[in-house]
Amino acid sequence: MSVKFYNDNAESFFNNTVNADMSSTYNIFEENLSDKTGEILDLGCGSGRDAKHFIDAGFKVTALDLSPILAAKASEYIGQEVIVANMKDLDFSDKFIGIWACASLLHLTEDEVLETLKRCHKALKKDGTMYVSFKYGETNFEKDGRIFTCFTRDKFLNLIEGLDFYYRATFETGDVRPGRENEKWLNVILKKK
């Protein structure tokens, strides 16, 4: 299971991701927020890099991660508690202006991605914004005990066809971690109807 990888490699994962520059993606997400004063959920917060950015930008943030070891490191980094929980069990209603799921839903199966997106929809306020990212491609794979569910734009839009989200944008980016620029990511912005 993916959580074992993150528990076993928490230190190196934290160090490899905490300083990655996500500023251009933050800008796109924040431009799509209908309310600039509400609360953001960082779903699968990892090192806490993104939660810290949103806190520093003046947002209230709830951060969640499945790995207790990584969550402890992220808590220390962002200066507030990170909830240790499984995103598949997400149970909020009408709470967040935005949900940020950067490279976190990709460890779920396609069915689990769909079910988790339904839970995210419920957790968002009306007109709430969701950001998700996946490794770009048609073919899912497994590496180091982690599954990776990959999407192209069309494959993702087909998956969410029945959900009450407005599709706002997709864009492709290279990996922002040094030495991994050739790895491509699909980034998606959705709005709750």
Side-chain angles (χ1 to χ4, degrees), residues 55-157:
I55 292 166
D56 290 349
F59 293 99
K60 186 173 192 290
V61 174
T62 294
L64 180 149
D65 203 273
L66 184 57
S67 163
I69 298 171
L70 206 46
K73 293 184 78 59
S75 292
E76 189 179 324
Y77 181 64
I78 68 174
Q80 70 178 51
E81 181 192 0
V82 170
I83 299 167
V84 178
N86 193 323
M87 64 179 67
K88 292 187 291 187
D89 300 326
L90 196 67
D91 192 23
F92 294 103
S93 185
D94 192 35
K95 181 171 173 64
F96 302 105
I97 59 158
I99 296 177
W100 176 269
C102 180
S104 54
L105 273 65
L106 82 172
H107 294 315
L108 304 177
T109 66
E110 287 178 33
D111 287 345
E112 290 169 340
V113 169
L114 185 60
E115 288 306 310
T116 303
L117 286 171
K118 289 178 185 174
R119 289 176 177 269
C120 289
H121 185 276
K122 182 182 170 207
L124 283 168
K125 292 178 175 290
K126 188 176 187 325
D127 295 324
T129 301
M130 178 149 194
Y131 165 77
V132 292
S133 64
F134 299 91
K135 288 190 180 286
Y136 185 88
E138 291 279 357
T139 309
N140 304 334
F141 64 94
E142 186 174 328
K143 181 182 177 189
D144 300 328
R146 296 177 294 171
I147 66 157
F148 289 88
T149 296
C150 303
F151 284 98
T152 60
R153 174 184 177 276
D154 289 347
K155 182 181 172 187
F156 185 78
L157 293 180

Side-chain angles (χ1 to χ4, degrees), residues 32 130 132 152-154 156-158 160-161 163-171 186-193:
N32 280 280
M130 178 149 194
V132 292
T152 60
R153 174 184 177 276
D154 289 347
F156 185 78
L157 293 180
N158 286 339
I160 65 163
E161 195 172 351
L163 300 185
D164 274 341
F165 278 115
Y166 292 109
Y167 156 71
R168 296 285 294 177
T170 57
F171 53 101
L186 175 73
N187 304 268
V188 185
I189 300 281
L190 301 169
K191 295 279 277 187
K192 179 175 179 173
K193 291 184 182 177

Side-chain angles (χ1 to χ4, degrees), residues 44-57:
C45 72
S47 64
R49 171 198 66 213
D50 305 327
K52 185 170 189 330
H53 164 80
F54 295 125
I55 292 166
D56 290 349

Side-chain angles (χ1 to χ4, degrees), residues 3 27 42 73 120 134 173 177:
V3 70
N27 291 341
D42 187 352
K73 293 184 78 59
C120 289
F134 299 91
T173 52
R177 293 169 292 179

